[in-house]
Amino acid sequence: MASVSTSFYKMWAHTNLEEFVCPGEEIKVLASACRTSSFQFLDRQPLTVEIEDSGGLTFPDFLYNYDVPLISLRFKKILDKLGVDNLFYKPVYLDCAALGRHEPYILALPPRIRAVRRVYTRLADEDGDESEGRELCRDEHGLKHYKINASEVGNYRIFKLADVIDTDIIVTRDLQAAIKKASLVNVCFSEAEED
């Protein structure tokens, strides 16, 4: 029996300080609003941020430090070409005095939508394999695992989930394939569960 590929993927970035630049403390002014996708607390005025001295010197296409998703202009062109139109954008410049660079990035913040079908925990059977799982109630720490209700996603191809406490950015299979084909630097994917 052939396996069915998932319809959704989690998009994430490595935060390897030895290789990639890391935005400095100034970026944290955006963190709280980004964590909850609270667009009403953000403006579209450009922000300039020094990079951390302890970070690397490679400017990748995707950075996701302090819960703030930053994309390169190259990544933005791909999203525009694909018709992705549900993100909040804000110009952010990363400055590196040592290299004399003023790199343009864009805060690309997805909305949170209510598309969680079921919340569960994975149980291991006697052989250590994951079982089907069981329902899990919410607690003060949020939800550990969830399944996405595809019928609630609508035409969004990139989003976060409401009613869960996490910073996962979810993309559809077609968007994941297009981004992957573009060979962007530091854009990683893992499967998200669908119900």
Side-chain angles (χ1 to χ4, degrees):
M1 179 184 214
S3 65
V4 177
S5 67
T6 185
S7 296
F8 300 102
Y9 291 82
K10 295 178 184 180
M11 184 175 76
W12 53 279
H14 289 285
T15 55
N16 181 344
L17 292 179
E18 293 178 4
E19 184 176 355
F20 301 123
V21 296
C22 179
E25 292 286 319
E26 300 95 343
I27 200 75
K28 290 182 179 180
V29 301
L30 305 173
S32 179
C34 287
R35 198 169 295 118
T36 58
S37 292
S38 299
F39 303 136
Q40 70 272 27
F41 298 113
L42 297 170
D43 61 39
R44 297 187 193 279
Q45 296 302 311
L47 175 67
T48 299
V49 176
E50 292 287 330
I51 64 166
E52 292 281 337
D53 291 336
S54 60
L57 297 175
T58 300
F59 290 85
D61 291 300
F62 186 45
L63 291 165
Y64 200 22
N65 303 83
Y66 308 112
D67 303 327
V68 178
L70 298 178
I71 62 173
S72 66
L73 296 180
R74 181 175 166 221
F75 196 165
K76 170 81 164 63
K77 285 180 186 175
I78 291 167
L79 294 176
D80 289 345
K81 183 178 178 183
L82 294 170
V84 174
D85 62 0
N86 66 309
L87 303 179
F88 176 90
Y89 292 120
K90 175 183 178 73
V92 176
Y93 295 92
L94 299 183
D95 276 356
C96 178
L99 298 177
R101 290 179 69 175
H102 184 69
E103 289 294 316
Y105 275 83
I106 299 167
L107 166 66
L109 185 60
R112 285 194 180 263
I113 63 172
R114 294 184 187 276
V116 174
R117 163 87 68 190
R118 188 162 50 120
V119 181
Y120 65 96
T121 56
R122 286 289 194 189
L123 303 174
D125 64 18
E126 291 176 4
D127 297 324
D129 297 326
E130 290 183 347
S131 69
E132 286 300 309
R134 63 178 170 83
E135 295 295 318
L136 171 71
C137 295
R138 272 186 228 180
D139 62 19
E140 68 273 13
H141 304 293
L143 305 174
K144 301 298 180 210
H145 300 281
Y146 52 80
K147 289 194 176 187
I148 298 170
N149 181 354
S151 66
E152 295 295 325
V153 173
N155 64 2
Y156 280 2
R157 296 163 68 197
I158 183 168
F159 56 92
K160 291 183 176 185
L161 293 166
D163 300 325
V164 295
I165 300 173
D166 67 21
T167 57
D168 292 341
I169 296 174
I170 310 294
V171 299
T172 58
R173 177 180 32 231
D174 67 316
L175 186 57
Q176 180 264 358
I179 292 170
K180 198 170 179 179
K181 184 178 179 183
S183 299
L184 296 173
V185 176
N186 202 33
V187 184
C188 307
F189 298 98
S190 57
E191 290 187 3
E193 294 200 46
E194 178 184 356
D195 202 19

